[in-house]
Amino acid sequence: MSRTPLIVGNWKMYKTIPETAAFCQEVKGEMVGLDGKQVGLAVAPPFTALNTAALALRGSFISVAAQDVFWAESGAYTGEVSPKMLADAGCRFGIVGHSERRQYFHETDDSVNKKAAALIKEGLIPIICLGETLAERQSSSTFAVVERQTREGLKGLAVKDPERLVIAYEPVWAIGTGQTATPNQAQEVQAFIRKFVGEIFSFPMAQGIRILYGGSVKPENVGELMAMNDVDGSLVGGASLDVKSFAKIVRGSISR
Ligand code: PGA
C-alpha cells in the first residue's frame, strides 16, 4: 500500500498572528504546482494563531494542526482548549504527547490516550508523538519504551480508516539538538511500531497508517530519512519556522 507522505511543521511557542498570516501566504506560493495527492501538509501554530492560519490557508491543500488539546468537551478547566474549539478554529489535526509536553507539563501515556480519543470523537486526526530519551536508548530500553507508549497511547481508539491516525516517532535526544537519528535507527524503530500497530488494530491498518519521524529534520537529511520504508513523513520543529526551509523539506519528501 502506498502512503501519501505527511509533513507537519510544529512551530512550538513561536510566531505572532501577523507572522502566521505572512508565513501561510508565502507557503501557499511555495507549494504552487503540488497537490494533496502527492503530499499532505500541515502547520501547527500556537493556539492564538490557529484560526489565522486556517483562514489564510483556506482553499489550499495545506491543513492546520493544534499542538495540544484537552479531552473534555467543555467545562471549568481554566486555560484548556477542547477538540470542538480546535475544529471551530479550523484544525484538521491535533498533536498529542509531544516530548516537551511529557517533560515539562506532566503529560502521561494515559492523558495522551484520552486526548487522542477526544480528537477522534470530534472528527480530528491525532498525531501521537512518542520516543525514547537518551538514557533509555543507552540502557537498551528503546523498544520497551516505544512499545509501552504505543500500546497505552492507542488503547481503545476507535479508528477504522488508517488516514485518521498518525504516529510520530521522535527520539527525545534528537529533538532540537541537531543530532538526527540515522535513517537506519528511524527505520528500525518505525518498522517495530508498525508491526505493533498491526497487533493492536489489524494488518491493513498498520500498512495504511502514517508513521512520521521527528527530531532535527532539515532539508539536507529529509531525503535519506524518507528513503526508508517505514518513514512516511516528518514532524519538523526548528526547520519549519522558515518558509524556504520548510518548502525544501516538503519537496524533498515527495520523490519517494
Ligand atoms: P526539531 O523538533 O525539528 O526542532 O528537532 C521536532 C519536534 O519537536 O517535533
Side-chain angles (χ1 to χ4, degrees):
M1 177 186 280
S2 69
R3 298 178 289 268
T4 311
L6 175 65
I7 313 299
V8 181
N10 172 17
W11 292 0
K12 311 193 178 186
M13 204 169 72
Y14 291 101
K15 293 198 192 290
T16 60
I17 290 172
E19 286 165 353
T20 298
F23 182 101
C24 292
Q25 288 310 332
E26 280 180 57
V27 85
K28 277 199 294 189
E30 293 284 342
M31 293 301 123
V32 167
L34 297 182
D35 64 45
K37 290 195 194 74
Q38 293 159 289
V39 63
L41 198 57
V43 292
F47 285 131
T48 46
L50 287 174
N51 188 241
T52 302
L55 293 175
L57 295 170
R58 200 154 51 176
S60 78
F61 72 99
I62 309 165
S63 306
V64 178
Q67 297 176 21
D68 189 26
V69 66
F70 186 58
W71 57 79
E73 277 180 26
S74 60
Y77 301 106
T78 301
E80 295 297 328
V81 175
S82 74
K84 198 181 277 305
M85 291 166 181
L86 296 184
D88 185 38
C91 292
R92 177 172 164 79
F93 297 94
I95 299 171
V96 292
H98 190 280
S99 71
E100 285 149 18
R101 300 233 42 103
R102 293 181 192 254
Q103 190 181 347
Y104 306 131
F105 304 100
H106 315 295
E107 194 81 86
T108 63
D109 290 334
D110 183 51
S111 61
V112 171
N113 179 249
K114 286 196 179 108
K115 290 177 176 191
L119 286 168
I120 290 167
K121 195 163 164 231
E122 190 55 44
L124 296 169
I125 304 174
I127 301 172
I128 300 180
C129 302
L130 43 93
E132 81 286 2
T133 63
L134 184 59
E136 288 163 344
R137 177 159 282 263
Q138 286 171 340
S139 63
S140 304
S141 31
T142 296
F143 291 101
V145 168
V146 164
E147 179 175 328
R148 187 204 74 229
Q149 291 175 329
T150 308
R151 185 181 54 244
E152 300 298 315
L154 271 54
K155 193 155 59 186
L157 294 187
V159 206
K160 301 230 159 40
D161 176 355
E163 304 237 325
R164 310 296 303 174
L165 180 64
V166 176
I167 295 174
Y169 169 56
E170 298 207 300
V172 180
W173 47 271
I175 297 178
T177 58
Q179 199 195 335
T180 321
T182 65
N184 284 330
Q185 283 173 323
Q187 169 59 26
E188 190 185 28
V189 178
Q190 298 193 195
F192 173 81
I193 294 171
R194 193 178 306 285
K195 189 164 168 288
F196 196 58
V197 169
E199 289 169 25
I200 297 171
F201 291 108
S202 66
F203 182 73
M205 262 296 278
Q207 289 307 300
I209 223 164
R210 281 171 301 182
I211 306 179
L212 315 183
Y213 167 79
S216 300
V217 173
K218 302 186 256 308
E220 299 75 41
N221 58 27
V222 72
E224 59 184 26
L225 287 160
M226 289 301 295
M228 298 288 120
N229 272 342
D230 290 293
V231 178
D232 306 318
S234 50
L235 183 54
V236 190
S240 75
L241 292 169
D242 175 76
V243 178
K244 297 273 181 228
S245 97
F246 188 54
K248 275 191 198 150
I249 289 172
V250 175
R251 290 191 180 275
S253 304
I254 39 185
S255 50
R256 189 165 86 152

